[in-house]
Amino acid sequence: MSAADELVALGNLGGVETFAMLRRTFRSASKPFGSLTLNGWDEDQRDEALQAFLTDKLVSLGDALLVAARDGQDAVEKLTFRIMKAWLQDQARRTDFGAVRLRLEELLTDDRYERSAPGTHHWGLAGAGEPVGPTDRQLLEAAQAVQVKAVRWSSEHRRAPMAATPDLHRVMTAVLTSAGGAVDITQLTHTFVRRFGVVLMSEVDLDDEDSYPGRAGYGPTADRTVTLPDAHSRARQIFVQLTDAERRCLLVLNDIPRMCEILNAKRSAAYNVRARLEGTLRALAAEDVDHEALVSELCRLVEAGIDAR
Amino acid sequence: MSNESERDDGMRARLSSYAPSAQLLEALDVAATPEGLERGQLWRAAWQDTRALLLVLGDAEDSDVATRQLLVAVVTLAEQPAKDSSIAFLAASTTCFHEVTVWPSLTARIGTHVLLTLVEDSEETANLAVKVTSVADSLVGLGAVDAFDPSARLVAELADDLSALAEAPTVRVADPGARTRLWDALPGTPGEQLKTLTVELGLRQDQAMALLRDQHTLTAEQARHVEAVYELPPGALPDAAALPADVVRELDHPRWRAAWQAAASRMSSDEVSVKQIFGSRAYALAARETGPPDWTQRLALLLAAEQ
């Protein structure tokens, strides 16, 4: 009996096949998310994560699977995989998001900024006044308009900084000037996460220090060597962020049907991946790096990966 | 007991603690297809390997399609935009579901032929439909989802599913201005018509007579060939591939969906072809009767006879 048949028969999630399907699917969905643990998954950690997933999602998952079960085993497994993957992505992103927020809170202690009122989470340039509600797009465009130098980072255990501190201040100033008032720090964090999305590397193992700033790796960089990036190492930094399918898509960005085949997805999903890859390459063009050499190295890495298969 | 089996027991106990609402189980088991298709209904929809839950927002107005189309919004369970996403959504508890998520940016016109079964038709879903409509209106003109939005990929996948449902084919509707009876549409005397059909289509006389008496319908290929012989425009002759709009509307009603799927499986065919066959037969039957046709009754009889 399949898990789908069992769900229809029992009307709940208590069956043996259902449990086996959830476990199997979680194993598959969790493979790319080794960064959620210190040294990659072991069985204990995977089971703990599955338990956390079930704690968060049990009720809505149950409803979803009971409906999907009427459409058969494939529908059940596909939906379960998608729900699990989204949850895991959320967990990974919280780690990035929290790290960026900490860095911004540190940045905002500078005298050039102030809270709109004591105890609030709205920050503006000194004397800026009341909270405002700018659109995310407006803030992102202001952030992207500021050219920053990418930071060369050699540590294998800590995240690279988003940018050097003076550059972060320039971006923050541009964002707050554009807003024309005080902005909620959550919205500022979203903006910086998107602005510096090419740098955030959830796949890098975290430092084993227990202190949050240490774990975040976004501390001040005054005491670290900041040099211009080498195109090859920059290409490698980007390469490791991409899934295997996204890497292969880099070589066929103008061929949507081919991208659909590679991604095993339909049109809109392929356009979304293309937009993200193109956005990543455009953001690189704004950095002080040999763009042509970087793209060439990126393609070489992709082709080497394809040849190796 | 090992750690692993303790953990397994713990997880299975947690899974067993889930209890669906009685109304959900009843809706899934009964698999109702009501007569009326109305705003606020929450339907399971499917076409080939695409599945979705859709909330009916109303009839699609100003549609240039002759058959009925509904305006719907995508609904998901256990999936909603990430906390740091800027994609609009509505979440609510309903009679059947602990929580549903409705996506106002994912709306489309669909034909009724992709609907499978009604899952819920309650005050909560009716209220959701009203709210979604007003939110969807406010989203018009805001532009595409940011590609880097954490939920952009999910939205793209849901949009692809919605597109597949919106583009699902159905029986072609005959041009309302075209002649619907072959003997009326063909030029010449009945004798000349009979001769043309036997010669041009290689039919026996009794087969040609059956066509002229509307006991059978030309295939699309036959119709195009005869149109070419008489230098008639394509679509001038009635064929099995096209049926009057009121017949197609009946064929597309979800009350028949299970029957078409079963027939397609039995006949090793597809839903559209099966609908064409039964629709043509129902139409041919109606030609021999007086009074306005009851398509529901005719199709029921034909399906009963088939089984």
Side-chain angles (χ1 to χ4, degrees):
Chain A
M1 179 185 270
S2 68
D5 292 337
E6 192 181 71
L7 284 162
V8 172
L10 296 180
N12 60 49
L13 302 179
V16 171
E17 295 301 326
T18 303
F19 178 52
M21 183 277 296
L22 288 171
R23 233 226 179 113
R24 183 174 66 240
T25 308
F26 194 81
R27 178 188 301 279
S28 177
S30 62
K31 272 183 192 163
F33 295 95
S35 61
L36 289 174
T37 67
L38 278 179
N39 297 303
W41 295 107
D42 61 29
E43 283 308 309
D44 285 347
Q45 287 167 325
R46 188 173 271 119
D47 281 349
E48 278 175 22
L50 177 54
Q51 293 218 37
F53 167 77
L54 292 176
T55 301
D56 272 355
K57 305 289 278 188
L58 178 68
V59 166
S60 54
L61 177 74
D63 285 353
L65 294 189
L66 283 190
V67 174
R70 268 67 185 173
D71 297 323
Q73 182 69 6
D74 284 350
V76 165
E77 290 191 358
K78 181 180 166 187
L79 180 62
T80 304
F81 182 88
R82 196 168 77 188
I83 292 170
M84 286 177 168
K85 191 169 166 198
W87 182 85
L88 287 159
Q89 282 171 339
D90 233 14
Q91 305 307 304
R93 216 172 33 254
R94 278 183 208 177
T95 314
D96 293 338
F97 191 85
V100 171
R101 176 161 174 154
L102 283 175
R103 183 71 182 102
L104 294 190
E105 284 176 348
E106 197 176 72
L107 205 70
L108 290 166
T109 58
D110 189 278
D111 287 342
R112 69 191 90 182
Y113 314 109
E114 65 183 18
R115 288 182 198 267
S116 62
T120 68
H121 295 295
H122 288 79
W123 290 86
L125 295 170
E130 296 299 309
V132 292
T135 64
D136 291 343
R137 190 184 294 273
Q138 173 191 348
L139 297 186
L140 181 59
E141 284 173 358
Q144 287 172 331
V146 179
Q147 298 245 350
V148 300
K149 286 190 177 141
V151 174
R152 183 171 190 174
W153 196 248
S154 59
S155 171
E156 292 180 358
H157 301 291
R158 300 181 66 153
R159 302 173 192 279
M162 288 182 281
T165 302
D167 280 340
L168 290 178
H169 278 301
R170 288 173 49 233
V171 174
M172 182 63 83
T173 301
V175 167
L176 291 176
T177 302
S178 165
V183 179
D184 187 277
I185 190 165
T186 302
Q187 190 175 14
L188 290 172
T189 309
H190 288 161
T191 303
F192 274 72
V193 165
R194 287 182 192 164
R195 166 62 180 87
F196 294 100
V198 295
V199 179
L200 294 170
M201 293 166 59
S202 295
E203 301 306 306
V204 174
D205 287 335
L206 300 177
D207 193 319
D208 59 1
E209 286 178 17
D210 202 30
S211 64
Y212 207 161
R215 204 151 32 93
Y218 282 120
T221 58
D223 58 342
R224 293 192 172 88
T225 303
V226 175
T227 60
L228 291 177
D230 169 72
H232 283 201
S233 64
R234 197 75 182 89
R236 180 139 200 97
Q237 286 177 352
I238 304 305
F239 182 77
V240 298
Q241 290 187 69
L242 302 175
T243 63
D244 182 53
E246 287 169 343
R247 290 166 188 168
R248 285 183 286 143
C249 285
L250 276 177
L251 303 180
V252 293
L253 282 181
N254 289 329
D255 188 346
I256 287 292
R258 180 76 186 107
M259 284 185 66
C260 288
E261 280 175 46
I262 292 170
L263 296 165
N264 189 25
K266 296 177 188 169
R267 278 194 314 259
S268 300
Y271 275 116
N272 171 255
V273 171
R274 183 169 85 172
R276 291 174 65 95
L277 290 172
E278 287 177 340
T280 301
L281 294 175
R282 266 199 301 278
L284 290 172
E287 296 178 11
D288 195 358
V289 68
D290 182 341
H291 189 232
E292 201 173 316
L294 184 150
V295 172
S296 171
E297 174 65 5
L298 204 46
C299 290
R300 189 196 69 76
L301 288 168
V302 173
E303 283 160 356
I306 292 172
D307 291 341
R309 252 189 267 110
Chain B
M1 187 183 283
S2 70
N3 280 344
E4 187 178 331
S5 38
E6 271 180 17
R7 243 194 339 261
D8 283 2
D9 288 346
M11 276 197 275
R12 291 192 63 182
R14 188 182 295 280
L15 288 170
S16 296
S17 71
Y18 161 73
S21 70
Q23 292 89 340
L24 174 60
L25 289 177
E26 184 184 335
L28 292 175
D29 287 341
V30 168
T33 52
E35 180 63 34
L37 308 178
E38 293 161 1
R39 183 172 76 171
Q41 291 176 342
L42 182 60
W43 284 82
R44 286 176 57 224
W47 189 258
Q48 296 180 332
D49 61 352
T50 301
R51 302 287 182 271
L53 275 179
L54 301 176
L55 179 66
V56 177
L57 304 180
D59 275 280
E61 292 172 358
D62 301 324
S63 171
D64 57 2
V65 173
T67 53
R68 188 175 181 189
Q69 290 209 310
L70 300 173
L71 188 60
V72 296
V74 171
V75 174
T76 54
L77 310 169
E79 293 181 289
Q80 60 181 219
K83 288 188 171 46
D84 50 343
S85 167
S86 59
I87 295 170
F89 69 100
L90 294 170
S93 292
T94 68
T95 303
C96 286
F97 297 107
H98 296 89
E99 187 175 73
V100 301
T101 299
V102 191
W103 303 70
S105 60
L106 293 174
T107 60
R109 297 163 187 254
I110 57 144
T112 57
H113 59 288
V114 301
L115 299 178
L116 264 179
T117 56
L118 179 69
V119 182
E120 186 170 346
D121 185 5
S122 64
E123 191 178 336
E124 293 97 344
T125 57
N127 289 339
L128 266 177
V130 172
K131 284 183 194 167
V132 168
T133 304
S134 67
V135 173
D137 287 344
S138 71
L139 293 176
V140 171
L142 285 187
V145 170
D146 171 13
F148 287 92
D149 188 289
S151 296
R153 177 67 185 261
L154 175 59
V155 166
E157 290 182 20
L158 295 174
D160 280 332
D161 288 345
L162 188 59
S163 292
L165 293 171
E167 293 164 13
T170 187
V171 177
R172 185 162 54 88
V173 174
D175 178 354
R179 302 286 176 81
T180 57
R181 307 292 178 195
L182 183 60
W183 53 264
D184 189 33
L186 281 177
T189 64
E192 287 165 346
Q193 292 172 350
L194 190 67
K195 186 176 177 184
T196 300
L197 292 176
T198 52
V199 168
E200 293 296 334
L201 300 180
L203 299 175
R204 297 193 311 268
Q205 189 167 328
D206 62 313
Q207 292 172 323
M209 287 298 296
L211 285 171
L212 288 171
R213 288 175 181 157
D214 288 320
Q215 290 166 349
H216 291 292
T217 314
L218 291 169
T219 66
E221 191 181 344
Q222 288 172 332
R224 304 295 89 76
H225 179 77
V226 175
E227 282 161 358
V229 167
Y230 280 104
E231 295 182 354
L232 296 171
L237 295 180
D239 63 63
L243 291 167
D246 55 341
V247 180
V248 179
R249 270 195 292 274
E250 181 61 30
L251 291 168
D252 283 354
H253 194 285
R255 69 169 138 259
W256 301 115
R257 189 75 195 275
W260 304 142
Q261 290 177 321
S265 176
R266 265 197 325 274
M267 297 160 71
S268 300
S269 183
D270 60 272
E271 281 186 59
V272 178
S273 300
V274 161
K275 285 193 291 189
Q276 281 170 344
I277 290 168
F278 281 89
S280 299
R281 289 179 189 168
Y283 186 61
L285 273 178
R288 286 180 259 154
E289 296 171 8
T290 55
D294 183 337
W295 300 118
T296 309
Q297 186 194 57
R298 277 174 180 70
L299 288 173
L301 284 170
L302 285 168
L303 282 163
E306 175 76 14
Q307 289 160 18

